[in-house]
Each structure stands twice: as C-alpha cells, then as structure tokens.
Amino acid sequence: MTPFEPKGIHRSRPARAFALPLLARALTRRIVVLLLAVVVLTLTSLAALVVVEKKLERIEEDAAARQMVNTRLGLLQESWLREAENITTGIEMQRFSNRPEPIRWHSLRAWLVALGENISFDTIMVRDAAGRGLFAHGHESDELVANPPAGDAAWHFSHQNQELHAVIRTGLWLGPDRGRGEIIFLQPIRASTLQLISSDLRTVYLASADTVLEGTDKHRIPTRDGAEFELDDKHWRIIEVAIPDAGDTRFLVRLPAGPPVWIKPVLLGAAMLALTLALGIHLLLGRWTRDLVRRIETLKNAALAFGDEGHSDLSATHTLLREAKGMSDDEIGAVAETLETLMQAVSLREEENRAYLETLNLLEEVVIELDRQGAIRRASAAWLRLSGGRRGDTEAFHDFLHRDDAEQMRTVLDTLISGEKDQLTLRARLLTQDASTLWLECRFVPLRDAAGQVSGVRGVLRDVTRTYLQEKQITEMALHDALTGLPNRVLLEDRAKMAIRFAQRAEHKVGLCFFDLDHFKQINDTLGHKAGDRLLIALTEALRARLRQADTLARWGGDEFVLLIPDMPGMREIREVVAKITEITQTPLLVDEADFAVTFSMGVAVYPDDAEDLDALLSQADRAMFYAKAQGRNIYQFFADMSQKGLGKKDLYIQHRLAAAIKNNEIRAWLQPLIDAENGRVMGVEALARWHDPELGWVPPATFIPMAENLGLIRELGEQVWLATLAAGQTCKTLGRDLGLAVNISKRQLFMTDFTEKLVQDAARFAIDPSRITLEITESIALLDVEFAAERLNELRRAGFRIAIDDFGTGYSSLSQLHDMPVQEIKIDISFIRRIHTPQGLRIVQAIVQMAAAMQLECVAEGVEDPATAELLKQIGVSTLQGFYFAKPMPTDEFNVWLSDTAVEQPPNSPRSV
C-alpha cells in the first residue's frame, strides 16, 4: 500500500548518443521512402501512359481495318447485286415462264450454260413464293437444295465443300400459274475476292473454326494457337472480323505489329527526377529539419526537467521552454506555450490535491483506492488513524471488516468492477487494532484506465459510529412504546404482515389477540396516572415472561395491547398459548409494594380462518374483544366462537346484516337542524346515522350503534357518516346556505394515527372550512385516556375543527380535566332536558349552563320537544337548541326542501315540524 500523496513525475534520462537524434533519423527515412515512392510512381505512371497510348493506337488501327473490310465487302455486294439483277432481267426477257414446266427449266439451264464464264456466280436457285425449290444449277446445287439459306440470310457456308458464299436475292416472275418467285445467287469467296478486300499492309484471310480456308498470301498462313490465330512472324498480328449469319466463319486481317515500347527513356527520366527532388529537399529542408529536431528535443528535456523538479521549482523548465519557442511563431512555439500552461495547471492541481488531502485528514475522512481484487493500492494518512494502525496479514480491504460485512463488501466491489453500477454507498463495521468496532459509511465509484476499462475502485470512508448509534436510538424510539418498551403499531404491523406471508407459504396459522385492561380508568382516577403507568409496566414484564421468543407483544394505545402469535401449526396450539397468557390474571401484580388484581378482556382472531389480511384480522379481534366485554369482562373470546357464546339468533342475524350494510355503504346520514335560541335561525345541522334494512326495516341507532362497537365496525360506520355529512354540507353551500356541521366521532376513529390528516384532506376535497365543522365526542371517550385524548383534541383544534363534549353530565369528568381540553361547546344530555320542568332537573341544567358560561363554552340542548322547554332553555342561557319541536332528523333531500320552506328568521314559538 502506498500513501495517497501528490508527487512529481520521475523518469530516468535516456543516454545521449552522438548519432542523429531519433526524430532526425525518422525524418530521413521518411524522406528516402518518399523519394522512392515518387520515382516508382513516376515510372509506373509513364509506363502505363505509354502502354495505354499504344493500346489505344492498336484499337484505332483495328477499328480502321474492320471498317475497310466491311466497306470493300459492301461495294462487292453492291456489284454482285447489280449483276444478279441483270441476269434476272435477261431471264425474264427470254420468257422462260411462258414455256411448259419441263421445257422451261431445261431451257433456263441451257441458257445459263451458254453464258458460261460471263457470270461470276457458281450456283443459282429458283424458289416459288412458298419457298419451295423449283430449279438449282451450279457447283453447290445439291448442297443448296438440301440446305437452302434460311430466311433473308446474307451468307451461306457449304460444309460439303468448305466454302463461304455471299447470298444475293432478287424477284423473278414465274408465270401466271406460279406468280412471283425468288431467284438466289451464291457468290463464292475465294482468294481473288479476298484480294479485292485486302490492301498493301492489310491482308485478308477467310477462316472457319480452326482452319484458314482462303488467303492471298500462301507463304504466311495464320495458325490457331489457343483461342486466337497468330503468325510465326512477330512483326505481324492478326485480328478477326465477324461475318453475320455465317456461324464460326470469319475474316482474318493481318496487320503490322508496330515497334516495341522502349522503356529506357522512361527509367532515365525517373532517375533524373528523383535526383532533382532529393537535391531540392536537402537544400530546402535540411537546415530547417535540424533546427526543428533541436527544438523538439528541447521540449522533451523541459518535460523531463518538470518531472525532476517535483513541480515546485519550475525555473529550469521555463528556461528550456523559452529556448524551444525560439524566434519562430509556429506550431512548436504554440506547443511550448501550451506545455508551459499545462505544467502550471498541473502544479496548481497538485497543490490543490495536497490541500484537499490535508483537509480530509482534518475531517478524519479516508480516501482509499482498491484494485480489482479488493487489495488496498493507496490510502490517505487518515486510514492509519481510523484503523488504529492495524496491520493484517494481507492488504485486502475486506479483511479489515467485520466478517458479517466482508461478503457484502466483496459483492459491492464485484458490482462496480462489472460495470453494473456507477456508484454505491453502504455501511460496514471496521475492526480496529484494539478490537473495537467502528461503523463506516463507504462510498465507492469505479476507477477506469486510459482504455476505459475498470481497473479498480476509489472511495471515501467516513466514521459514522456516533450517527449510527443516534439513528439506532431514534429507530428504537420510533418503533417502540416509550413507557413499556414494547413494539408500537408500526413495528407490530410490519411483523404481522411478515408472519402472515410466512404462514401462507408454510400453511400454518397466526393468532392475533386484542385486549385491554378492565376498569383501568378507575385505577388512574384513584391512584393517579403514574401508578397506572407502573401497573402497565408490571403487566408488560409479566406477559413477556410467559411468551415465546417468536411472539410479539405490542402496546396499541392507552391500556390496549395486541399479541401476535406467529407460526402455529393449528388452532389447538393457539388456544393453549392464549390460555397460558390469561392465567396471569390469577396472580396479583406487585406495584408500589401493593398487590393489584388485574383482569383484561381479550378478543382473538386467527389467520386464515377468520381473515386473510392484517386489517381484517385486527377488526375481527377487536369485535371479539368488545363481545368479551359485553359478556362480563375478564374473559377471552375467539372470533370463531362468538356465535356459540350466547348470541341470540336474532342478534346474530342483525349483526350479519349490519356488517353487510356497512360493507355495501348502506348507512345513511340524516340531518337535524341546530337552532339559534335568540332568533330562531337555522345555524347548523347534526348528522345522525340511520339504517334501513330491506328485511328488518328501520333499525334504531340505539340497537345498531352499540352492535357496531361490539363488532369493531364503528370506525367504518363513522367513516360513512362523516363523508355523507361533508357531501350534505357541500350541497347546502351550492344552494346558498353555509351551515355549520356537527358529526359524532367514535373512540376508534379518534385514536387512529392518521385521523387528523384524513379529516383535513376530506374537508378540503369537499371545499368545507374545518372551522364550520364541530366534532362531537362523548364525555366518557374524552376522559378514557386523558393524556392521549387531550393531545389528539389539541391536534384537531390546531387543524381548525371545533370540539364539543356530547352527552355531557353522564361521565365522571372533573372540572380540571374539562378545563385542560380544547373544547368550544358542551351538549347537555337529553336525560337532563327531559327533567328540566322538575325543580331538581332545572337546578342541574342551570348548574351546567352556568359552568359552561364560566368556562366560556357554548351550551347546546338536545331533545327539545315543546315550546315551553325551548323558552325555558333560552331564559337560562342556552345558546343553541335541537329537537323534534323544530324538526325531526330527515334525509338530505328532504332537509333541503324543509330549509328552503323555512323563513330566514323563524321565532322559536313558531315551530315547523316535518
């Protein structure tokens, strides 16, 4: 391992030789090669030029010879045609066609014989219009009859006599019986004919296939050598002239071969050119080249001096660079200036790198470089401090790490080296010299060579041990209950989902128990909250002692707990665990040197028997727990056994129908107006849950709401009523009435983790200001867990919602507890309103109104059913009235009709019922 420090470029100077410098020798070699190339190219070009010129001359001469043969042959054919026409005229004048058939042809033959040598044709043939031969006379008569010329062929070759004939055709009158016919003349091509075609230097021969048939010069007969005819005399050459319609019969023309190409002048000219170029290059480039080589060598020496000086003192380098620049403003001078700028930049960069490394050393961050195998190539000085000066048997980086992290580090290095990632960050544990462990944050990038290939990795290591411990502590706080140290809802949900996945693969079961302490509020009220907290801690420790290592006990909130029993083979094993847990209630808990008999009610749901996902499983366990409480508390209830534990058939049927109605969104929100006691105006509405079943008819809220609480469905029911209330408020705004909205909130809703956020989002979606919404909670719910309830109510108040205590007077709240809550109004329970006309009842209502006025709380009275009650409540200071005297609860559509029919200012003694 080498230190990661900036350093100069150190190179050994090459030995100075007295021979020409390498560049000069290379330049000389290239000039020689250039001269040779010029000579060869010139010689080749001249030779090619001469050859091409000679070739063109021969082509022109051949074309002229062929044209001569064709021209003279054409003149002969014209003379033969005139002769044929004269003979035809003579035949017609002899009127042979008027004679009988046999005599006609004998007479014609005799006439032709009489002509004898006066005609040049050796064969004559007569044919009728159909092409049938009628008469033939002459040397080739048999051949002509057997093999007449085809069509309008101009030539006919006699294979029998190996002779070529020119074919001349003219028309002939054959008499009335045969009409117009044709007479054919064959003119033989003999030596005399070839003599007429030839000239002084161009002798013509007649050849067929491989044989010369006729020729004027019997002493120089061409012979076939391969594909062409040649002469033994090299002063002559042979060309061929094709004869149309004559097959392989053709004319041969003998031509002078011409003088050979003489190459010596060409060679001499090329040599003179080469010498001239060499002399010119030497005179023009010699001195310039020597000066150029000297300046380039000076540049090399400057670069070597730059490396030897270590980038600190550049005086010698500058001197050499100025010498290399010289007086010429050329490319070498520009290179020298660029090199000087580059050297200055390198020196500056080295200084910056040294400063960066010193800064990293101050920050205790390590710059490290590894090869492809993970061995440490270089590392900054901070590495020795970070590792405590530890030296291992090898220099592999992963050998310095905890064995659980070494394999992960190898995988990271392999990923970077393979090119799959361009950057990776991970945390690993470093084992120091004193066997302590440090947590490192490692950031690595691939290191590439000049060819672009990954040659290793480079990274930065930072000690994050303190940060890791803080994060671990924060994570512990985020996932665990601060009081008991138990997992909270977040960690429980994560473990439960994981347990369900494992059970699904292994076909096992998962038990989920939901329980809370019986009458825990009385303990808080009697002994105080701190004693209650200590009791919860003692109960937690007792429960942990009875659990398996794989079980999870979590605090759900307040005095509610959830127990997760994963990886159970069957229902029997889950029942055994639950029974073992409930045995804890048989032994008092010791808290503050006093024994406390603690009982709890528990509901149990089992995956996959009761539900197949976590939310449904929690809901079923919650229902079972409420049912256990309804059965007298201090018992546990399995959800699957609820139908066998005393539920009547009708109640069970109603519960089944209620669950289906909530699932199908059949719960409706009816509206009952809230009246201003002073002027009778409608100032708002309260949303009340109503349920109409097709088979059961209208089910009273007093029946299905407690049932929904026992079944654990009150949260879903409250959600439907809440959304319906917002929709009704939006409709009223559309009609021009911005009324306040009051809606009841259940305990389950209030204790939801994201309850406030969801309410704000829903209100925004329906464009309703939270300040126009009053959330009504019962006194018992608000005081069940005062600390948590106060925190949640303050959260709702900060979001803009109004808070009201419903059914006030039926709970056990103290004035101090009520004063600590962010409440804006109290709603007097209907039981007090019904007794207001009795002296005792009137005093109770007056006390509640006076207490509300003292605490600056608005007071609402529900259950107003007659004008006397309305008037009395107005006199004692109640600000808002609600009841059948004004209007019954009604669906949204009916309420809107009622509202449009109601006067804006309706006196309280002029009720309008619906």
Side-chain angles (χ1 to χ4, degrees):
M1 181 183 71
T2 59
F4 216 137
E5 296 291 344
K7 54 187 179 180
I9 302 174
H10 299 283
R11 296 181 180 177
S12 60
R13 291 180 179 272
R16 296 297 182 90
F18 290 99
L20 281 174
L22 294 177
L23 184 60
R25 282 182 286 176
L27 183 59
T28 303
R29 286 196 299 269
R30 283 162 173 75
I31 291 175
V32 171
V33 172
L34 176 62
L35 288 175
L36 291 176
V38 170
V39 171
V40 172
L41 181 61
T42 303
L43 180 60
T44 304
S45 300
L46 291 174
L49 182 61
V50 172
V51 171
V52 170
E53 184 177 1
K54 190 63 178 178
K55 187 70 173 178
L56 293 176
E57 289 178 358
R58 286 196 174 187
I59 291 174
E60 292 177 358
E61 187 177 354
D62 293 350
R66 290 187 176 91
Q67 185 177 5
M68 180 202 73
V69 171
N70 292 328
T71 300
R72 294 189 178 187
L73 191 59
L75 294 175
L76 287 175
Q77 287 176 331
E78 290 178 0
S79 66
W80 293 335
L81 178 58
R82 288 193 297 271
E83 182 181 359
E85 290 175 348
N86 292 334
I87 293 173
T88 302
T89 302
I91 292 173
E92 289 179 346
M93 292 177 63
Q94 293 295 327
R95 299 186 182 275
F96 293 114
S97 60
N98 296 333
R99 300 174 187 178
E101 189 74 27
I103 300 173
R104 178 189 305 176
W105 306 120
H106 288 297
S107 299
L108 177 59
R109 190 182 304 277
W111 186 74
L112 292 173
V113 171
L115 290 177
E117 295 181 357
N118 291 325
I119 61 175
S120 60
F121 304 108
D122 68 346
T123 304
I124 299 175
M125 182 181 182
V126 178
R127 296 194 301 191
D128 60 11
R132 292 187 296 271
L134 304 177
F135 170 78
H137 170 73
H139 182 63
E140 298 288 341
S141 59
D142 295 337
E143 173 74 15
L144 193 60
V145 172
N147 186 21
D152 55 353
W155 298 92
H156 175 72
F157 182 75
S158 174
H159 295 280
Q160 181 179 355
N161 298 317
Q162 293 292 301
E163 288 183 348
L164 178 67
H165 298 80
V167 179
I168 307 298
R169 293 180 173 86
T170 62
L172 179 64
W173 176 255
L174 299 178
D177 54 343
R178 293 188 181 276
R180 195 74 177 170
E182 180 184 42
I183 182 169
I184 299 174
F185 301 89
L186 298 185
Q187 173 64 47
I189 305 299
R190 296 190 176 93
S192 59
T193 307
L194 297 176
Q195 183 67 36
L196 296 174
I197 300 175
S198 303
S199 65
D200 294 339
L201 297 177
R202 299 168 180 168
T203 303
V204 181
Y205 300 87
L206 180 64
S208 176
D210 299 336
T211 307
V212 176
L213 302 178
E214 292 288 347
T216 57
D217 189 351
K218 300 297 183 179
H219 301 289
R220 293 186 178 90
I221 301 299
T223 59
R224 191 174 183 86
D225 183 9
E228 298 179 351
F229 285 93
E230 296 180 353
L231 290 171
D232 295 336
D233 190 350
K234 298 302 181 181
H235 295 87
W236 302 92
R237 57 189 182 88
I238 301 296
I239 66 169
E240 297 182 1
V241 180
I243 303 175
D245 305 325
D248 57 357
T249 304
R250 54 206 180 278
F251 294 115
L252 303 179
V253 182
R254 185 186 69 190
L255 300 172
V261 178
W262 187 247
I263 203 68
K264 286 185 179 180
V266 176
L267 294 175
L268 183 59
M272 292 299 294
L273 177 61
L275 291 175
T276 303
L277 288 175
L279 181 61
I281 290 174
H282 175 72
L283 294 176
L284 295 175
L285 299 180
R287 184 175 179 181
W288 177 81
T289 301
R290 287 193 300 272
D291 183 64
L292 180 67
V293 170
R294 181 187 59 78
R295 294 173 64 193
I296 293 176
E297 188 175 8
T298 305
L299 285 178
K300 180 191 72 173
N301 295 334
L304 293 175
F306 177 70
D308 292 341
E309 291 172 357
H311 305 177
S312 57
D313 183 12
L314 301 181
S315 58
T317 303
H318 291 324
T319 301
L320 291 172
L321 289 175
R322 284 194 297 271
E323 182 181 348
K325 291 179 186 178
M327 301 299 293
S328 301
D329 187 12
D330 55 8
E331 285 77 4
I332 294 181
V335 170
E337 291 180 358
T338 303
L339 187 59
E340 184 176 12
T341 303
L342 179 62
M343 290 176 179
Q344 293 174 352
V346 169
S347 299
L348 181 61
R349 180 62 58 85
E350 292 292 348
E351 292 297 328
E352 291 177 353
N353 289 343
R354 185 179 292 107
Y356 291 155
L357 288 174
E358 292 175 355
T359 303
L360 287 174
N361 291 335
L362 291 175
L363 297 175
E364 297 186 353
E365 291 191 354
V366 179
V367 179
I368 193 168
E369 185 177 307
L370 311 177
D371 62 14
R372 293 176 63 91
Q373 287 71 40
I376 302 175
R377 287 179 180 168
R378 288 184 287 274
S380 61
W383 168 249
L384 294 179
R385 294 198 303 271
L386 193 65
S387 61
R390 177 188 168 203
R391 296 285 184 177
D393 296 333
T394 67
E395 290 293 331
F397 176 63
H398 51 74
D399 290 338
F400 291 83
L401 303 180
H402 191 280
R403 62 182 182 181
D404 294 340
D405 300 329
E407 186 61 33
Q408 182 187 10
M409 181 59 64
R410 293 191 189 96
T411 303
V412 167
L413 296 181
D414 292 341
T415 302
L416 289 172
I417 291 173
S418 64
E420 296 180 22
K421 298 286 186 180
D422 292 331
Q423 181 178 351
L424 281 176
T425 303
L426 75 157
R427 285 185 176 180
R429 286 162 288 181
L430 176 70
L431 302 179
T432 62
Q433 183 71 28
D434 57 359
S436 61
T437 301
L438 296 179
W439 279 90
L440 299 181
E441 182 181 78
C442 311
R443 289 173 290 173
F444 290 106
V445 296
L447 184 62
R448 301 183 183 275
D449 56 21
Q453 302 297 320
V454 178
S455 60
V457 296
R458 179 177 295 164
V460 177
L461 312 179
R462 184 164 63 94
D463 183 2
V464 293
T465 304
R466 182 178 301 176
T467 303
Y468 169 78
L469 295 177
Q470 292 174 350
E471 291 176 352
K472 185 178 179 181
Q473 183 179 3
I474 293 172
T475 302
E476 182 76 15
M477 294 172 62
L479 298 179
H480 292 78
D481 178 60
L483 175 64
T484 62
L486 294 176
N488 60 11
R489 297 185 185 187
V490 177
L491 184 56
L492 172 70
E493 291 178 359
D494 182 67
R495 292 183 180 179
K497 292 177 180 178
M498 187 179 301
I500 290 174
R501 287 197 296 269
F502 288 158
Q504 186 177 15
R505 288 196 291 266
E507 297 184 356
H508 281 185
K509 297 182 183 297
V510 177
L512 192 138
C513 309
F514 205 120
F515 63 95
D516 68 359
L517 302 186
D518 297 331
H519 308 297
F520 181 68
K521 182 179 182 300
Q522 296 180 4
I523 297 176
N524 278 337
D525 292 342
T526 304
L527 302 177
H529 289 283
K530 291 185 178 181
D533 291 344
R534 289 191 290 272
L535 177 62
L536 292 177
I537 295 173
L539 176 63
T540 298
E541 294 174 352
L543 289 172
R544 280 175 169 173
R546 294 174 177 266
L547 295 178
R548 303 176 304 160
Q549 186 175 2
D551 299 336
T552 298
L553 177 65
R555 187 183 182 195
W556 192 254
D559 63 335
E560 294 180 332
F561 296 85
V562 176
L563 174 61
L564 178 68
I565 309 174
D567 197 23
M568 301 301 289
M571 195 72 175
R572 180 177 60 83
E573 289 77 8
I574 296 178
R575 291 183 182 274
E576 290 176 355
V577 173
V578 172
K580 181 180 178 181
I581 293 299
T582 56
E583 290 176 357
I584 196 173
T585 60
Q586 300 176 6
T587 304
L589 296 177
L590 182 63
V591 178
D592 294 338
E593 299 181 357
D595 291 334
F596 286 87
V598 177
T599 63
F600 52 76
S601 302
M602 175 185 291
V604 185
V606 179
Y607 169 88
D609 300 356
D610 301 327
E612 295 185 354
D613 60 76
L614 177 60
D615 291 338
L617 208 61
L618 285 168
S619 179
Q620 306 295 50
D622 195 19
R623 297 178 193 177
M625 183 192 71
F626 274 98
Y627 181 74
K629 285 183 175 292
Q631 301 304 311
R633 304 177 186 266
N634 193 23
I635 62 173
Y636 63 88
Q637 176 65 54
F638 279 80
F639 181 80
D641 299 340
M642 285 174 60
S643 60
Q644 305 173 6
K645 292 291 185 177
L647 278 177
K649 291 184 178 180
K650 181 178 179 181
D651 291 342
L652 186 62
Y653 180 72
I654 294 176
Q655 286 186 3
H656 174 74
R657 299 290 297 176
L658 176 61
I662 294 175
K663 180 179 179 181
N664 297 330
N665 200 24
E666 296 176 0
I667 305 300
R668 297 290 179 261
W670 284 24
L671 306 180
Q672 188 174 26
L674 299 174
I675 306 299
D676 190 329
E678 290 295 329
N679 53 34
R681 291 184 179 181
V682 178
M683 56 186 302
V685 293
E686 180 183 6
L688 302 171
R690 292 293 185 267
W691 174 34
H692 182 271
D693 184 78
E695 298 182 11
L696 301 173
W698 288 103
V699 181
T703 299
F704 72 80
I705 289 180
M707 191 174 292
E709 291 178 346
N710 292 334
L711 292 174
L713 295 174
I714 191 64
R715 184 171 62 185
E716 291 81 357
L717 186 149
E719 173 75 7
Q720 292 184 23
V721 174
W722 161 251
L723 293 177
T725 304
L726 293 179
Q730 187 180 45
T731 302
C732 290
K733 288 185 65 176
T734 304
L735 298 176
R737 295 294 186 94
D738 186 12
L739 300 179
L741 304 176
V743 61
N744 292 279
I745 301 300
S746 68
K747 171 187 175 183
R748 294 297 175 201
Q749 290 175 287
L750 185 65
F751 285 5
M752 287 170 53
T753 55
D754 59 344
F755 180 61
T756 303
E757 180 182 359
K758 185 180 184 309
L759 292 190
V760 172
Q761 292 176 352
D762 291 340
R765 181 155 54 95
F766 286 90
I768 296 179
D769 190 343
S771 62
R772 303 294 295 161
I773 301 175
T774 301
L775 304 178
E776 297 184 1
I777 60 173
T778 61
E779 187 179 6
S780 58
I781 291 177
L783 302 175
L784 181 63
D785 187 344
V786 176
E787 182 179 354
F788 180 80
E791 179 182 352
R792 178 53 52 84
L793 293 178
N794 276 301
E795 182 179 293
L796 291 168
R797 186 70 188 100
R798 287 192 296 271
F801 296 98
R802 301 180 76 255
I803 308 298
I805 299 296
D806 195 13
D807 301 334
F808 185 80
T810 59
Y812 304 94
S813 61
S814 63
L815 292 178
S816 62
Q817 291 172 334
L818 184 62
H819 186 271
D820 292 337
M821 291 187 179
V823 178
Q824 283 74 50
E825 71 177 42
I826 58 176
K827 201 166 187 178
I828 305 172
D829 186 69
I830 192 173
S831 60
F832 298 123
I833 303 302
R834 289 175 178 173
R835 299 197 301 270
I836 194 172
H837 296 290
T838 65
Q840 184 180 5
L842 179 61
R843 285 194 296 270
I844 292 175
V845 173
Q846 287 176 330
I848 293 175
V849 173
Q850 291 171 1
M851 180 194 67
M855 300 180 67
Q856 297 182 350
L857 301 177
E858 296 181 15
C859 196
V860 180
E862 59 181 350
V864 179
E865 299 180 354
D866 54 71
T869 303
E871 183 63 27
L872 182 58
L873 290 170
K874 174 183 176 182
Q875 291 177 0
I876 63 177
V878 176
S879 59
T880 306
L881 306 176
Q882 176 184 356
F884 281 16
Y885 170 65
F886 303 100
K888 296 180 180 179
M890 62 195 94
T892 303
D893 295 339
E894 294 184 15
F895 175 80
N896 290 330
V897 174
W898 176 88
L899 189 62
S900 62
D901 293 342
T902 302
V904 176
E905 295 187 6
Q906 177 185 345
N909 57 357
S910 302
R912 184 181 182 87
S913 61
V914 178

